[in-house]
Amino acid sequence: MESSYFNNVVNAEYSRKNDGRIEYGTAGFRTKSDVLEHVLYRMGLLAVLRSKAKKAAIGLMITASHNLEPDNGIKLVDPAGEMLEASWEMIATNLANVLDSDLISMLVHISTKENIDLSIPATVIIGRDTRKSSPILLKAALAGIKALNGNITDLGLVTTPQLHYVVVCTNTDGAYGDPTLQGYYSKLTAVFKSIRGTEINNGKYISGVQLDAANGVGAIAAKEFRRYLENVLDIKLFNDGSGDLNHMCGADYVKVQQTLPLNIPSDKSVRCVSIDGDADRVVYFYVDENNKFHLLDGDRIATLVAAYFKELLETSGLSLQLGLVQTAYANGGSTDYISNVLKVPVACVPTGVKHLHKKALEFDIGVYFEANGHGTVIFKDIAKEAIKNHAKNEMLSTTQRAASSKLRDVTNLINETVGDALSDMLLVETILHAKGWDVTEWERSYNDLPNTQLKVRVKDRNIITTTNAERHCLTPICLQEEIDKIVSKYSRGRSFVRPSGTEDIIRVYAECESSSDVNKLAVEVASLVY
Ligand code: NG1
Ligand code: ZN
């Protein structure tokens, strides 16, 4: 192994200035931005090695998603748009924590162990969100990439799903689309407009939303969408970057607090949308005649989408296996509805989109959503081919042909590479338009069980370990027994605890039949882990 290849990597500007250990978690590295410079530098180095190892372009996104402004983070994107492979998460953690004096030997070790041909060219596609710390961290990452002579495509300010899209397009020679932001906007908006045709409204559906962009990078993308969509969808933009990022706004705030974000007018029964700081999560909400807040979260979106695909498959006469993937945070009401009413197979996996994505790949058409609104639909290649060919089949009846063409078009509206708040919003809008539904009709399909989440700060969150898709605790011993005892007192009760992968806390989730009891249940369970 050519260790001279790594001669340029020692750089005093990016030496490790603090001793704290940092881990590549649910969504990469995420912590206070002022301790991240050396991590970004090292991830620049690692992205080059990953690109050489995979002989393909790698993505590097600088963001801390729904976290507040002082945080930042970085995640690497693998060639097919997936999150970084699990075995490399460990490599990333080791590289981020190694002493400066051992940096070169660790890089040599990684290259040898992973059998990397260092003579292969590397390309890293890089994007960042709107945080004030992002340019400094970008500089660090670029320095890392340059130290190993990697090629750089800097996309500037982009949403996380836009970065994933460009990575996939680059690695598939444009087969998935044009690897540019213009390519992204034109692909999604052209199909949205063509499905809608000239009937902008339909039945109870009125074409317009109030969009809370979390004061993040999604506001920039939303403005572009608005430009491309012309008047087909009226997007009224709030929290467009003039306020504080994710502060009392954005998808995470709305989902967890179950309340209106700042600045959104409480007009009755108007469809409102919140996205998060890097625009990979989306939730809907509205306020009813009695000023009551109603949330339509990722579970609602997943069920709407799965039901629509089921309907199109049945009507078109195409036989493909449809499945839905959730996590333990999915509301019990949604899971019952999917299994008992929709009768679509449903799987539960641990938190983190990489787990959902992997499981969804097992279905011909896999719909996956976290309750917080992070999700998409993915198709096996054979399913895509079947959908395309079916739409061309001349033996179909008029009804079958119409459903079949819709299926083909809706497929093109989806950013399959990762959960994409704005592409998901266009998908929801398309389905509501097709059905002629307003937001209350959408909500009518099932009732959510009252639910809540708490955060508990403990000395070491990793003492809690879980199994069965995080629904049961393995350690500390007896904790699960105690949780079960409490839960059994509540009708339709369910509660679980797990360490967060993105914050230094334990999360407690609780749901039960009675809205007046649900906080009590959560507090009782939380008291077990204090
Ligand atoms: P953690 O902090 O591990 O719970 C949170 C979300 C995940 C996922 C990641 C990445 C919840 C309960 N958890 O993970 O679903 O979106 O952030 O952003 O919403
Ligand atoms: Zn996000």
Side-chain angles (χ1 to χ4, degrees), residues 122-333:
T123 300
V124 183
I125 304 174
I126 194 159
R128 67 180 198 277
D129 73 12
T130 52
R131 282 161 209 271
K132 290 184 198 80
S133 56
S134 291
I136 291 172
L137 296 178
L138 170 70
K139 196 170 151 247
L142 292 176
I145 300 167
K146 284 178 194 154
L148 293 185
N149 294 322
N151 301 307
I152 296 164
T153 303
D154 182 2
L155 299 177
L157 291 168
V158 284
T159 69
T160 293
Q162 286 177 332
L163 176 80
H164 283 252
Y165 170 88
V166 175
V167 170
V168 174
C169 293
T170 304
N171 287 323
T172 50
D173 290 328
Y176 189 69
D178 182 22
T180 61
L181 292 184
Q182 289 88 327
Y184 167 88
Y185 291 117
S186 345
K187 179 178 175 184
L188 296 181
T189 55
V191 63
F192 179 83
K193 288 198 274 191
S194 93
I195 297 175
R196 188 148 298 199
T198 49
E199 295 290 328
I200 290 184
N201 301 319
N202 180 32
K204 291 190 176 171
Y205 176 87
I206 308 286
S207 190
V209 291
Q210 298 190 148
L211 175 65
D212 154 29
N215 288 315
V217 70
I220 299 172
K223 284 178 195 159
E224 280 301 290
F225 268 109
R226 207 160 53 177
R227 205 163 61 77
Y228 277 81
L229 285 171
E230 294 157 329
N231 295 323
V232 179
L233 178 68
D234 176 20
I235 302 174
K236 289 202 170 53
L237 197 55
F238 300 87
N239 301 321
D240 64 351
S242 41
D244 293 341
L245 177 68
N246 296 322
H247 173 66
M248 296 180 76
C249 62
D252 192 64
Y253 175 80
V254 172
K255 164 71 183 159
V256 176
Q257 303 302 326
Q258 304 193 16
T259 186
L260 283 184
L262 277 187
N263 301 320
I264 284 261
S266 53
D267 297 347
K268 307 291 175 275
S269 302
V270 170
R271 248 180 358 270
C272 300
V273 182
S274 266
I275 61 177
D276 73 335
D278 62 341
D280 58 4
R281 288 190 196 180
V282 58
V283 296
Y284 274 72
F285 57 94
Y286 74 96
V287 177
D288 69 17
E289 296 303 321
N290 302 317
N291 242 349
K292 185 168 174 253
F293 172 86
H294 294 246
L295 177 70
L296 294 100
D297 61 6
D299 302 338
R300 286 274 170 195
I301 298 173
T303 50
L304 179 79
V305 172
Y308 190 59
F309 270 99
K310 186 171 185 229
E311 185 186 314
L312 290 180
L313 285 171
E314 279 173 3
T315 315
S316 65
L318 186 58
S319 165
L320 289 173
Q321 196 205 8
L322 175 68
L324 205 152
V325 187
Q326 302 185 310
T327 71
Y329 290 97
N331 194 282

Side-chain angles (χ1 to χ4, degrees), residues 8 57 81 108 115 148 154 249 287 295 333 403 409 425 495 498 517:
N8 289 334
V108 171
N115 213 359
L148 293 185
D154 182 2
C249 62
V287 177
L295 177 70
D409 293 346
M425 178 183 84
S495 180
R498 57 173 277 280
D517 280 352

Side-chain angles (χ1 to χ4, degrees), residues 209 245 308 336 378 434 453 484 500 505:
V209 291
L245 177 68
Y308 190 59
D336 288 349
I378 51 178
Q453 277 188 52
D484 291 344
S500 159
I505 49 151

Side-chain angles (χ1 to χ4, degrees), residues 283-284 294-307 324 326 331 333-334 337-338 342 369-371 373 428 431 437 439-449:
V283 296
Y284 274 72
H294 294 246
L295 177 70
L296 294 100
D297 61 6
D299 302 338
R300 286 274 170 195
I301 298 173
T303 50
L304 179 79
V305 172
L324 205 152
Q326 302 185 310
N331 194 282
S334 76
Y337 172 72
I338 297 158
L342 290 184
F369 268 88
E370 295 188 302
V428 168
I431 299 173
W437 280 358
V439 71
T440 53
E441 288 194 68
W442 172 17
E443 195 186 25
R444 205 162 290 155
S445 47
Y446 68 88
N447 289 325
D448 268 327
L449 285 171

